[in-house]
Amino acid sequence: MVHTGGPNKPENDFPTEVGQRLRRLRQHANLSLARLSELSGVAKGTISTLEAGGGNPTIMTLAALSGPLSTTPSALIDPESRLGYDALKRLSGPQMSMRFLRSTRSEGPPAPCVWEFYEVTIPSTSDPIASALHDGIEYLQLLEGRLTAGPAEAPTDLELGQTISFPGGEPHSYWCRGGAARALLTMQYSAQ
């Protein structure tokens, strides 16, 4: 960990920063821990632990929490803050490694959107990795390896360079067999 201003003052404390932003957004939305838990599907204890600066704030959890808070995961990550070094932008979902690259906003048409970009590494597993449900649309472009991904009812076998898209609010999964895969994950959210 990088330190400044004295031996015990960390310059970057990712879990604490995420927890503070999460608490502010929850309070701004006038939601109790129990209500945010109910709306997001994230356990009340997990939310409490995250707000206290503990736990492991995974991208799947942040995506699930961001919808009821009317925001996006990048608002919880806050890449423009002093969280400047790459290690703090590494998040993981269930068995997946995700590195936040950047976010941007477009004004449309048809409507204003927020776009978030992640480099994702999906390990080889015996069963598909189910994702938490979240707002927005996912665009997944395979960069390396082989991957079966998309809606749980109709996943797609991707070849190098292929891109698929699907709603984040519907059950979806990722599955690699015979070696890990790497992909570019773009998440599109309404900015309204």
Side-chain angles (χ1 to χ4, degrees):
M1 182 172 286
V2 177
H3 295 276
T4 61
N8 295 319
K9 185 175 182 203
E11 176 187 331
N12 295 300
D13 186 356
F14 183 63
T16 300
E17 295 280 341
V18 170
Q20 290 171 351
R21 281 187 291 281
L22 176 58
R23 179 178 290 116
R24 278 193 304 268
L25 287 167
R26 179 180 61 78
Q27 290 171 341
H28 185 281
N30 200 28
L31 294 174
S32 67
L33 285 171
R35 183 66 177 144
L36 180 55
S37 174
E38 179 183 319
L39 293 172
S40 67
V42 176
K44 180 180 169 185
T46 299
I47 298 170
S48 178
T49 299
L50 290 175
E51 285 191 359
N56 176 24
T58 69
I59 190 62
M60 300 303 184
T61 299
L62 298 181
L65 291 169
S66 66
L69 296 173
S70 299
T71 190
T72 66
S74 66
L76 294 166
I77 298 166
D78 193 15
E80 300 304 320
S81 79
R82 66 184 183 278
L83 303 177
Y85 62 89
D86 190 62
L88 296 181
K89 294 181 183 176
R90 290 191 180 276
L91 301 166
S92 56
Q95 306 171 16
M96 294 177 13
S97 170
M98 301 180 76
R99 186 169 64 92
F100 178 78
L101 301 172
R102 66 168 298 168
S103 67
T104 189
R105 180 184 168 105
S106 65
E107 295 306 320
C113 294
V114 173
W115 299 84
E116 297 179 351
F117 303 92
Y118 300 86
E119 180 182 1
V120 183
T121 302
I122 304 107
S124 181
T125 57
S126 57
D127 295 309
I129 299 170
S131 174
L133 302 183
H134 56 83
D135 290 340
I137 298 172
E138 287 194 23
Y139 298 85
L140 192 66
Q141 182 178 32
L142 186 62
L143 302 175
E144 188 177 298
R146 295 183 59 99
L147 175 64
T148 301
E153 296 298 317
T156 300
D157 291 328
L158 292 171
E159 300 291 334
L160 289 180
Q162 283 186 310
T163 302
I164 60 168
S165 65
F166 49 89
E170 296 178 7
H172 56 283
S173 63
Y174 314 90
W175 193 10
C176 291
R177 298 173 295 268
R182 196 169 55 88
L184 175 65
L185 172 62
T186 304
M187 298 174 77
Q188 175 191 8
Y189 300 96
S190 170
Q192 296 179 337

